[in-house]
Amino acid sequence: MYQVVNQKKKFKNVEFSEEIYGFPMASSKKVFTIGKYQVKNIVIINTKLAHPLISKKVSKEYQKLVTTLMELLTSDDDTGESFREALNRIEKFRQEIKNKYRHFLKQKELEEMAKQLKIFQREANMRFIELQNAYYENTLQQGKGK
């Protein structure tokens, strides 16, 4: 059940029979003040209102992910842990977008992010496989040397 506030500041309970996707608004105090009322949970269900907020939030998260991925992929890690970490972060970001924000973002935005993430994923996979092959060849050579 949802409460809807109109401009006359009357509260009305509304029940929806179908599943509704909404964007919960965040606040540092966890309370919004509307007029003289304090509201704890605000969920935006209008996609036109939610799109700019979500787009901004997702782009910030995406930029953080890209910088982290660049650091992980350019690190000198002999164990391959950084490549696994990069792959895990890419998958976590994809799942978060799919589950939380897909309904509010435009298809073009989703495709653009997915294309760039596939490039990062391919690079991390390639480097991880190269590292595994080098390790495997090294162990074979050490085994033959005995």
Side-chain angles (χ1 to χ4, degrees), residues 84-135:
R84 278 187 287 233
E85 178 69 25
L87 291 170
N88 288 339
R89 288 187 185 206
I90 290 170
E91 191 57 35
K92 181 181 176 187
F93 182 77
R94 279 187 178 188
Q95 289 300 319
E96 184 178 357
I97 296 300
K98 180 180 175 184
N99 294 333
K100 290 183 180 180
Y101 307 122
R102 173 185 56 192
H103 303 287
F104 299 103
L105 294 173
K106 294 179 181 173
Q107 188 67 28
K108 185 178 180 181
E109 292 171 321
L110 291 171
E111 288 172 358
E112 211 170 277
M113 283 189 290
K115 185 190 297 183
Q116 291 178 339
L117 286 176
K118 278 184 182 180
I119 293 169
F120 281 118
Q121 195 172 28
R122 191 177 309 127
E123 181 69 23
N125 271 330
M126 187 177 67
R127 289 189 182 184
F128 185 66
I129 290 171
E130 286 175 1
L131 190 63
Q132 283 181 329
N133 288 340
Y135 177 75

Side-chain angles (χ1 to χ4, degrees), residues 59-99:
S59 67
K60 280 183 183 179
E61 288 180 26
Y62 181 71
Q63 291 304 318
K64 284 182 189 177
L65 177 68
V66 167
T67 56
T68 305
L69 289 175
M70 292 300 288
E71 289 174 10
L72 288 172
L73 292 176
T74 57
S75 70
D76 294 334
D77 183 20
D78 291 340
T79 63
E81 190 63 34
S82 62
F83 303 129
R84 278 187 287 233
E85 178 69 25
L87 291 170
N88 288 339
R89 288 187 185 206
I90 290 170
E91 191 57 35
K92 181 181 176 187
F93 182 77
R94 279 187 178 188
Q95 289 300 319
E96 184 178 357
I97 296 300
K98 180 180 175 184
N99 294 333

